């Protein structure tokens, strides 16, 4: 039996109530004031993973800090708390640990954490990229969009996930825009893509304008607040939101019935898996970053797989092949914690067409 662990933490103070229901009505400030003093702990046992090639069990281990705390508090304090969480995983018997949500981006993206543990560490970013791109391809096909001829935007392109998405999509599309705050890094990435693929990409720090012009948006920033609002998207736009916390405002789902917003990186896990934790997904599904840790455990690859800011296309291709071998696959289309049905897809397409016609006639 292969063994792994995965670090979870509350994205927001209200998420703490998923494990401790008595805090449900507590003010956010009170919750954050208390949880920073709570030591890391075992959240739940994960059982039933069976790929046909191997079996695995694991644990969710909790690092009690919210996203805002991980950004605002001193970096050495946060990293030390993640390392202490890794020590919990070691004691439980895990041989590899995955870093979830903001624990994968703090500091040097897992390198220091790995140096201070006796077990392997991965951020899960390689499989996150693989599933985000596959989801984007499938969504474009479902919406009748030719991916190779449409305007694709990578939002947060200078991060490790964004840069990898950009390098892979540059092989498949004709019009690619990279958006991020650091224009120097954007220019460096664009030159690299031109050299390796021959595609001249657009770069911009004006994210709002870039979003308005995009037909497809792959959103992967580490912002703690929503940056895509209902008024930012054109009719028929597709957004694959890989970021946690989300880059897309929930208002988009409430107001815009002519755009498709997908949760990136949601996969089916093989076997009769029991997570022992409600993180808002249907049974037997998980985030791709969680799945990468499981895949490496099933394969017996107890090594530091995806760490730091440099994510290679080769890593994405390797984990994608291993995922297929062990029976992991995309869990259909999901948007804001719910499945997107074929009827809803048809409705979105019809609404987008109607709104586009209205705009062309000057009605809107």
């Amino acid at each position: 039996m292969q063994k792994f662990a995965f670090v979870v933490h509350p994205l927001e103070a209200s998420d703490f109530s998923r494990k401790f229901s008595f805090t449900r009505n507590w003010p956010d400030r009170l919750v954050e004031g208390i949880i920073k003093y709570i030591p890391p702990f075992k959240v739940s046992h994960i059982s039933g993973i069976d790929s046909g090639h191997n079996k695995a069990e694991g644990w969710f281990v909790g690092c009690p800090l919210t996203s805002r705390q991980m950004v605002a508090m001193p970096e050495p304090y946060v990293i030390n708390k993640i390392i202490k969480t890794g020590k919990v995983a070691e004691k439980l018997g895990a041989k590899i640990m995955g870093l979830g949500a903001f624990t994968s981006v703090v500091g040097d993206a897992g390198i220091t954490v790995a140096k201070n543990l006796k077990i392997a560490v991965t951020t899960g970013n390689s499989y996150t990229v693989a599933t985000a791109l596959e989801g984007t391809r499938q969504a474009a096909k479902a919406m009748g969009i030719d991916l190779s001829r449409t305007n694709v935007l990578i939002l947060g392109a200078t991060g490790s996930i964004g840069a990898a998405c950009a390098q892979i999509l540059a092989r498949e599309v004709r019009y690619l825009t990279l958006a991020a705050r650091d224009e120097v890094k954007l220019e460096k990435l664009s030159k690299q893509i031109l050299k390796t693929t021959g595609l001249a990409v657009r770069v911009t720090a004006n994210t709002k304008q870039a979003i308005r012009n995009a037909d497809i948006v792959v959103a992967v920033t580490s912002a703690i607040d929503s940056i895509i609002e209902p008024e930012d998207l054109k009719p028929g736009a597709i957004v694959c939101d890989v970021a946690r916390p989300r880059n897309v405002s929930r208002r988009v789902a409430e107001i815009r019935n002519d755009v498709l917003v997908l949760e990136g990186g949601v996969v089916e896990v093989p076997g009769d898996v029991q997570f022992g934790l409600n993180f808002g997904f249907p049974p037997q599904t998980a985030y791709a970053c969680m799945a990468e840790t499981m895949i490496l455990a099933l394969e017996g690859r107890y090594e530091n797989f995806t760490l730091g800011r440099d994510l290679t296309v080769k890593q994405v291709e390797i984990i994608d092949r291993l995922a297929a071998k062990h029976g992991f696959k995309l869990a259909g289309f999901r948007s804001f914690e719910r499945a997107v049905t074929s009827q809803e897809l048809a409705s979105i397409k019809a609404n987008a067409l109607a709104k586009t016609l209205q705009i062309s006639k000057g009605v809107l």
Side-chain angles (χ1 to χ4, degrees):
M1 181 75 73
Q2 307 297 327
K3 300 180 186 296
F4 68 92
F6 189 83
V7 180
V8 294
H9 73 90
L11 298 180
E12 302 171 347
S14 58
D15 291 333
F16 198 64
S17 64
R18 290 185 187 274
K19 181 66 178 177
F20 302 102
S21 58
F22 61 87
T23 67
R24 184 170 291 116
N25 297 316
W26 289 13
D28 288 357
R29 183 167 298 187
L30 175 60
V31 173
E32 289 190 338
I34 291 173
I35 65 175
K36 67 181 180 182
Y37 296 108
I38 298 175
F41 58 95
K42 182 186 86 171
V43 176
S44 68
H45 178 242
I46 304 167
S47 63
I49 301 172
D50 186 350
S51 74
H53 295 278
N54 213 336
K55 297 180 180 180
E57 66 172 342
W59 299 268
F60 283 128
V61 286
C63 182
L65 291 174
T66 66
S67 303
R68 290 187 187 278
Q69 287 176 306
M70 289 194 177
V71 171
M73 298 180 79
E75 189 175 283
Y77 173 87
V78 176
I79 291 176
N80 187 52
K81 195 149 191 176
I82 298 170
I83 292 169
K84 288 181 178 178
T85 309
K87 298 294 186 183
V88 173
E90 286 180 346
K91 290 179 181 177
L92 289 167
K95 296 180 180 178
I96 187 169
M97 182 179 78
L99 300 177
F102 269 60
T103 66
S104 68
V105 298
V106 171
D108 53 14
I111 294 174
T112 298
V113 173
K115 287 179 179 177
N116 285 274
L117 294 176
K118 298 175 183 177
I119 60 176
V121 177
T122 189
T123 62
N125 286 348
S126 295
Y127 195 44
T128 296
V129 169
T131 55
L133 295 180
E134 182 58 27
T136 300
R137 296 182 191 106
Q138 291 186 14
K141 185 176 181 180
M143 291 288 285
I145 296 175
D146 184 348
L147 189 63
S148 66
R149 296 178 177 275
T150 196
N151 184 15
V152 181
L153 168 66
I154 309 293
L155 194 59
T158 54
S160 59
I161 294 176
C165 285
Q167 291 175 73
I168 294 171
L169 280 176
R171 304 168 172 178
E172 306 174 28
V173 304
R174 188 178 300 176
Y175 308 107
L176 182 63
T177 302
L178 312 181
R181 289 174 292 185
D182 193 325
E183 294 184 76
V184 174
K185 287 185 178 180
L186 279 174
E187 289 293 344
K188 182 179 178 181
L189 178 60
S190 70
K191 290 177 181 177
Q192 181 183 347
I193 290 173
L194 180 61
K195 182 179 179 180
T196 56
T197 70
L199 182 69
V201 302
R202 303 183 187 96
V203 298
T204 181
N206 187 344
T207 57
K208 286 293 185 181
Q209 187 61 43
I211 295 167
R212 293 188 185 105
N213 292 332
D215 301 299
I216 296 177
V217 181
V218 181
V220 292
T221 83
S222 56
I224 60 175
D225 297 309
S226 301
I227 57 176
I228 301 178
E229 299 293 340
E231 59 273 14
D232 296 331
L233 296 165
K234 61 164 51 174
I238 297 171
V239 183
C240 181
D241 192 352
V242 184
R244 293 297 177 270
R246 290 185 181 88
N247 285 169
V248 181
S249 167
R250 187 173 287 274
R251 291 177 57 242
V252 174
E254 297 168 352
I255 296 173
R256 296 294 300 273
N257 63 358
D258 61 324
V259 299
L260 176 61
V261 178
L262 304 174
E263 293 175 354
V266 183
V267 299
E268 293 180 12
V269 180
D272 185 21
V273 60
Q274 303 295 322
F275 290 113
L277 174 68
N278 173 22
F279 44 91
F281 283 7
Q284 300 181 315
T285 61
Y287 288 118
C289 54
M290 297 175 181
E292 178 173 308
T293 314
M294 301 172 197
I295 293 163
L296 292 170
L298 286 165
E299 188 67 12
R301 289 186 67 150
Y302 294 121
E303 61 189 65
N304 296 331
F305 190 78
T306 313
L307 290 180
R309 306 293 177 194
D310 297 322
L311 175 59
T312 69
V313 172
K314 184 178 179 180
Q315 285 173 296
V316 176
E317 291 171 344
I318 288 171
I319 200 68
D320 201 23
R321 287 197 300 269
L322 293 178
K325 170 185 173 180
H326 289 284
F328 290 77
K329 59 183 179 180
L330 281 180
F333 297 143
R334 293 187 59 78
S335 181
F336 294 97
E337 289 96 25
R338 52 182 296 274
V340 179
T341 66
S342 56
Q343 291 85 355
E344 286 173 311
L345 280 172
S347 178
I348 291 170
K349 287 174 67 175
N351 293 334
L353 178 60
K355 195 164 185 178
T356 301
L357 289 173
Q358 287 177 319
I359 291 172
S360 66
K361 292 179 180 178
V363 178
L364 293 177

